[in-house]
Amino acid sequence: MLAMVAHQTIKTSKAQISIIEDNICYFHYQGNTHLELDDYLENHKVYNELNVDQNLKILAEFPKHVSFSVEARKYAEMAALDTIAQAIVIHSLPQRIIARFYHRMRKNDFPVKVFNKKHEAVAWLLTF
């Protein structure tokens, strides 16, 4: 199990993952990258290790020019996440289209909302 304090960062192949205020697990993906299934599996493994006996919320930020393979997108739609709520921050129109599709296709037991600004996403997650 990973021990982690707030603001400590774990780097994976295409993201930086940290716990920020009020048990928010922040995934900041690298810009100009293409996410494959293995990238999602790696990041979800880190999340599951961090989420032991906690009630984490997810904040995922995708800078411009981040794209997803079909397999990665399908995994994201179907993966069972143990979380209270998920906020997604996007910075481009193509990402907004993918996020809307994800939001419609995913059957969540938790609320999901898409934002253009990180601070708005954090404010929303703090309501849980």
Side-chain angles (χ1 to χ4, degrees):
M1 180 172 88
L2 297 170
M4 185 168 179
V5 295
H7 305 293
Q8 179 184 353
T9 300
I10 296 172
K11 293 183 180 183
T12 62
S13 59
K14 296 187 181 170
Q16 294 183 15
I17 304 168
S18 56
I19 303 294
I20 60 175
E21 61 188 293
D22 197 36
N23 288 332
I24 296 173
C25 186
Y26 176 47
F27 292 82
H28 187 265
Y29 289 88
Q30 297 172 11
N32 301 314
T33 192
H34 183 72
L35 298 172
E36 298 287 345
L37 175 59
D38 287 344
D39 302 315
Y40 270 98
L41 294 172
E42 178 183 24
N43 293 335
H44 284 182
K45 179 180 177 190
V46 171
Y47 175 77
N48 287 333
E49 290 173 357
L50 294 173
N51 198 32
V52 174
D53 295 326
Q54 297 185 49
N55 291 315
L56 294 179
K57 299 162 245 184
I58 296 174
L59 171 59
E61 184 170 9
F62 299 95
K64 285 186 178 180
H65 311 295
V66 173
S67 60
F68 314 86
S69 70
V70 172
E71 295 83 11
R73 192 189 75 235
K74 286 182 180 180
Y75 175 79
E77 292 167 5
M78 302 307 292
L81 294 173
D82 185 16
T83 187
I84 296 169
Q86 180 181 27
I88 302 168
V89 180
I90 56 171
H91 297 283
S92 70
L93 180 60
Q95 290 173 338
R96 178 164 293 287
I97 293 167
I98 292 170
R100 282 185 184 156
F101 185 76
Y102 166 81
H103 189 56
R104 287 184 185 149
M105 296 301 292
R106 185 157 176 80
K107 304 295 185 241
N108 295 315
D109 292 332
F110 52 87
V112 176
K113 193 167 180 179
V114 178
F115 298 88
N116 293 323
K117 298 188 183 334
K118 179 183 171 189
H119 71 273
E120 293 173 354
V122 169
W124 180 74
L125 287 171
L126 291 174
T127 65
F128 294 92

